[in-house]
Amino acid sequence: MSTLPAFAVPPSFMGIAARDPHAAFCIAGIPLDIGTTNRAGARFGPRAIRAASAMLVDGAHPRSWVDPTTLPLSDVGDFEIFLGDIPRSLARIEAQAAPFAHLIALGGEHGITLPLLRALAKKSGTPPALVHFDAHVDTWPDSCGQEFGHGQPFWHAIREGLIDPARTVQIGIRSPVTQAVWDWTLAQGVTIMTAEEVHEGGTAATAARIREVVGGAPAYLTFDIDALDPAFAPGTGTPEIGGLASWQAQAILRRLSGVDFVGMDVVEVAPAYDVSEITALAAATIVWEYLALIGKK
Ligand SMILES: [Mn+2]
C-alpha cells in the first residue's frame, strides 16, 4: 500500500520501483500498433495504462484480500519494436518475452499476443488453455491483405499449436464476421460466448462455463479492451456496441480464482480516443484483478 497520493505515484505500473527481470511476475509494455485495421494509436496504451494504475495502490483486493503492490512484481519498461516492420517486431517481441517467468503485457494491439504465445510454447511444451475476452474472434486468415495484423493472432496460434483450441474460450464476441471464419473457429473446438450470452446468462454462468472449458490446464488470459462496450471503453481502435460493462468483466474475472494462469495481456487501448481515461483505467484494473488472482496462488 502506498502512502503517496495517487497523483504522485511514479509512472511505472502501480508505482512499482523494481525493474528486476528475474521477479516472479513482470509487467512490460509492448507499444506495437501497426497491424491495426481501423484507428491506430495503441502504441500509447502502455503509458496510459500505467498512469491510470496509480489509482490502484491504496490497499488490498476486496475479494481475495491480495494487495497486488506487495507481490514479487517488476515493471521492466517497454519492449523494443521495429517501426513499420511487423514480422521483425513479432520476432523481437518473442525473443524479449522468452526469459520472463510470468509476463503481464500491456499492449499495443492484439497482434502482440502471437509472439507472446510463441515464447510461452517454447518454455512449456504443452499448449495452454486460452481465456480470450474480445469483441472479435481474431481468427481471420488475413485482414485487408495483412497476414499478421491484429485480427489474425488466434488463426496463427491455433495452426501453430500454441494454444489448445478445445480449452479456448472467447467471451464478449459480437462483431460482424464472415460465417466461414466463425465456422472455422468452432470447428477447431473453440468455445464462443457472445456478449449477448453474457448479458442474458449472467456473470456467474459465464465464469462457470470458462472454468469448465479451461479445466485444470495452465491458462493464458488475453483481454482485448474492446470486449467492453464503447460506453465503458471508447479508447480503442475497433469499437463494437453491445459489449460487456466493466463490472461484468470484473465479476467474471473475480470468479476465476484457482485457474492456473501462466501469463496475460491487455491490448488495444488507444488513448487518443479515450474519454476521461476510463479505458485506460479499465485496462489497468483488469491487470490488477489478474494480479489479485495469481497472487492468491
Ligand atoms: Mn482482439
Side-chain angles (χ1 to χ4, degrees):
M1 179 170 162
S2 171
T3 53
L4 292 169
F7 57 81
V9 170
S12 60
F13 193 82
M14 296 189 308
I16 300 159
R19 294 181 66 88
D20 173 17
H22 305 293
F25 308 113
C26 286
I27 291 182
I30 309 182
L32 182 83
D33 68 358
I34 55 177
T36 51
T37 49
N38 190 35
R39 304 189 300 206
R43 65 182 61 183
F44 296 110
R47 66 169 72 174
I49 297 167
R50 285 189 176 101
S53 74
M55 279 289 293
L56 300 167
V57 299
D58 285 335
H61 188 278
R63 184 167 173 133
S64 70
W65 297 111
V66 169
D67 178 350
T69 63
T70 64
L71 296 176
L73 181 65
S74 277
D75 183 339
V76 297
D78 284 359
F79 280 10
E80 183 184 62
I81 56 159
F82 293 106
L83 274 179
D85 191 335
I86 293 179
R88 216 166 141 224
S89 290
L90 298 190
R92 187 77 190 104
I93 291 166
E94 181 185 340
Q96 290 169 101
F100 295 105
H102 189 132
L103 185 65
I104 295 145
L106 315 176
E109 45 118 318
H110 220 157
I112 66 167
T113 305
L114 180 63
L116 297 177
L117 290 172
R118 284 173 174 163
L120 203 58
K122 280 183 185 152
K123 265 185 288 195
S124 62
T126 35
L130 185 73
V131 179
H132 171 199
F133 286 82
D134 210 314
H136 314 90
V137 290
D138 288 356
T139 51
W140 279 267
D142 75 278
S143 54
C144 315
Q146 286 197 117
E147 197 183 351
F148 293 98
H150 73 159
Q152 282 76 58
F154 307 109
W155 157 262
H156 292 291
I158 290 171
R159 286 160 55 95
E160 292 177 24
L162 307 178
I163 54 173
D164 181 351
R167 293 200 181 281
T168 292
V169 54
Q170 304 184 319
I171 308 109
I173 306 299
R174 62 193 184 277
S175 78
V177 57
T178 52
Q179 200 180 346
V181 169
W182 185 274
D183 290 346
W184 181 86
T185 308
L186 289 177
Q188 308 313 304
V190 172
T191 299
I192 298 176
M193 298 192 76
T194 63
E196 200 176 325
E197 284 175 81
V198 177
H199 295 314
E200 292 182 346
T203 54
T206 303
R209 183 78 183 108
I210 295 169
R211 301 183 75 101
E212 193 177 78
V213 173
V214 169
Y220 187 86
L221 173 66
T222 184
F223 198 106
D224 187 324
I225 206 67
D226 70 26
L228 301 183
D229 192 85
F232 299 90
T236 195
T238 46
E240 310 280 355
I241 70 159
L244 274 56
S246 38
W247 76 263
Q248 289 175 304
Q250 206 167 23
I252 294 165
L253 288 173
R254 289 181 178 192
R255 287 174 167 85
L256 298 183
S257 65
V259 171
D260 183 16
F261 284 114
V262 294
M264 77 94 64
D265 58 61
V266 59
V267 295
E268 300 285 352
V269 173
Y273 315 103
D274 206 359
V275 175
S276 296
E277 301 165 10
I278 57 173
T279 312
L281 179 62
T285 308
I286 296 298
V287 172
W288 181 78
E289 291 286 346
Y290 177 80
L291 291 170
L293 285 175
I294 58 174
K296 191 79 178 170
K297 282 206 287 201

